[in-house]
Amino acid sequence: MLMYMSNSPQETPSTPLHSVSVAGVVVREDGRVLTIKRADNGTWEPPGGVLELSESPEDGVRREVYEETGIKVQVDRLTGVYKNTARGIVALVFRCHAEGGQEQLSAESTAVEWLTPDEVTSRMREVFAVRVTDALDDVPHVRSHDGRKVIASA
């Protein structure tokens, strides 16, 4: 189901609404990356979730990473913007570093692990692994995907 919004109540709806999510790629000094195994579908992903209306993207990343892993983070920089064309979700991904806390499970995670980049690419779906590998680069990336595969840019 697509939702639409317009500038005036009398206008015909024409602009699709998008959901905005945030994720944190938390990189340790040894190069390992903080990941979770999601409780709802069993997939490995960087911690993250839906950005709340009242919070900044950076605050959302800090909240989501802490809620899902128990790790407190400092947000370093935006590393990518990812559009799920099938579901209308725009994900903002930030590189972070740990500032404290201790790994713990949550209602949203059945495992919390620090993975090597090779382990990330072997355990995660392509659309999530690319977010981690992009975060290890020095430049931000903008990509689209259909929920399963990254769509090649022109």
Side-chain angles (χ1 to χ4, degrees):
M1 171 174 82
L2 283 177
M3 296 172 55
Y4 293 90
M5 138 174 109
S6 68
N7 294 330
S8 165
Q10 290 81 22
E11 290 180 22
T12 303
S14 62
T15 306
L17 294 177
H18 290 81
S19 172
V20 178
S21 69
V22 292
V25 177
V26 184
V27 182
R28 231 171 35 182
E29 287 182 14
D30 64 2
R32 288 182 175 264
V33 177
L34 183 65
T35 62
I36 64 165
K37 187 171 186 180
R38 290 179 52 105
D40 59 353
N41 62 17
T43 61
W44 285 94
E45 298 179 12
V50 176
L51 182 64
E52 294 179 1
L53 286 176
S54 63
E55 68 187 347
S56 71
E58 294 88 347
D59 287 344
V61 170
R62 283 188 285 272
R63 176 185 54 78
E64 286 287 347
V65 172
Y66 183 72
E67 286 176 0
E68 294 181 0
T69 69
I71 300 296
K72 294 180 181 179
V73 298
Q74 174 63 45
V75 177
D76 296 327
R77 63 183 173 85
L78 178 72
T79 59
V81 177
Y82 303 85
K83 166 83 184 275
N84 181 329
T85 59
R87 298 187 58 205
I89 300 170
V90 176
L92 308 174
V93 179
F94 294 84
R95 183 169 172 153
C96 307
H97 65 271
E99 286 195 314
Q102 182 153 345
E103 296 87 353
Q104 63 187 28
L105 302 182
S106 72
E108 298 177 66
S109 60
T110 60
V112 175
E113 290 187 26
W114 293 91
L115 301 180
T116 66
D118 287 340
E119 291 169 328
V120 163
T121 56
S122 67
R123 289 192 196 183
M124 287 186 187
R125 285 186 186 167
E126 176 186 26
V127 298
F128 295 108
V130 73
R131 296 173 191 197
V132 174
T133 57
D134 284 354
L136 302 177
D137 286 346
D138 290 331
V139 297
H141 297 268
V142 177
R143 300 183 191 272
S144 294
H145 64 89
D146 63 8
R148 301 191 73 70
K149 291 283 192 183
V150 173
I151 299 169
S153 333

